[in-house]
Amino acid sequence: MSKKPKKGKPGSAQLPIVRAIISAGWGLLLDLVLLLLFSAFFYLKDLPPEMSRPFATVILVLGGLLGGYLCGKALRRQGLVHGILVGGVQFMVLLLVSLSCAGSEVMALALYKCLMLLVSGAVGCILGVNRKSRAARAALRRS
């Protein structure tokens, strides 16, 4: 007698591109929140403007890591490829927003941001794929 395969939740099998876009959105949301907090901190502490670029780079990397991690945790396979996809989606959104602002142009700094997002997305996704589920961690503790 053959058993029927178990069906998951409706809509649980997502296409990787859909999951990458959703995860990139969460990463960009984290970037937005952290940049708002950073700007408030910057305003209150009266820091020199030269310090803004390192802070913005760290925030950009954190958003890429979160987006990649969420994608890797959801898809559980091909972490490097999906992470680069998440970083690419994030970069394209940031590039489009940047180009929509008056007086902006694409400079060499855009290539640096692209590289940072691709690498941080890939690292985050690899971490998400390799993270053990709760059931697997519980089974390891019992043995």
Side-chain angles (χ1 to χ4, degrees):
M1 185 171 8
S2 66
K3 293 183 178 180
K4 292 182 182 178
K6 293 182 180 179
K7 292 185 180 180
K9 298 176 194 170
S12 63
Q14 292 181 343
L15 293 172
I17 186 73
V18 173
R19 177 42 64 182
I21 291 170
I22 293 169
S23 300
W26 281 109
L28 290 170
L29 182 64
L30 176 71
D31 284 343
L32 180 66
V33 169
L34 289 178
L35 283 172
L36 287 172
L37 291 173
F38 164 68
S39 63
F41 175 75
F42 214 73
Y43 175 75
L44 293 173
K45 293 293 182 178
D46 197 30
L47 296 173
E50 295 82 29
M51 291 187 63
S52 66
R53 186 162 288 158
F55 276 106
T57 302
V58 169
I59 290 171
L60 190 70
V61 168
L62 289 175
L65 283 171
L66 176 71
Y69 181 80
L70 292 175
C71 185
K73 191 174 173 189
L75 295 176
R76 307 296 296 172
R77 59 186 167 86
Q78 296 179 335
L80 182 64
V81 174
H82 293 138
I84 289 173
L85 184 62
V86 170
V89 168
Q90 286 182 325
F91 175 73
M92 293 307 292
V93 169
L94 290 176
L95 183 66
L96 289 173
V97 168
S98 174
L99 290 175
S100 69
C101 296
S104 66
E105 56 187 48
V106 179
M107 294 187 281
L109 188 60
L111 182 62
Y112 172 72
K113 289 179 185 178
C114 180
L115 184 63
M116 294 296 289
L117 279 169
L118 293 176
V119 170
S120 63
V123 169
C125 201
I126 290 170
L127 290 174
V129 166
N130 291 329
R131 187 177 188 311
K132 301 232 184 286
S133 66
R134 286 185 180 177
R137 284 195 311 261
L140 282 174
R141 279 189 237 133
R142 281 186 246 138
S143 60

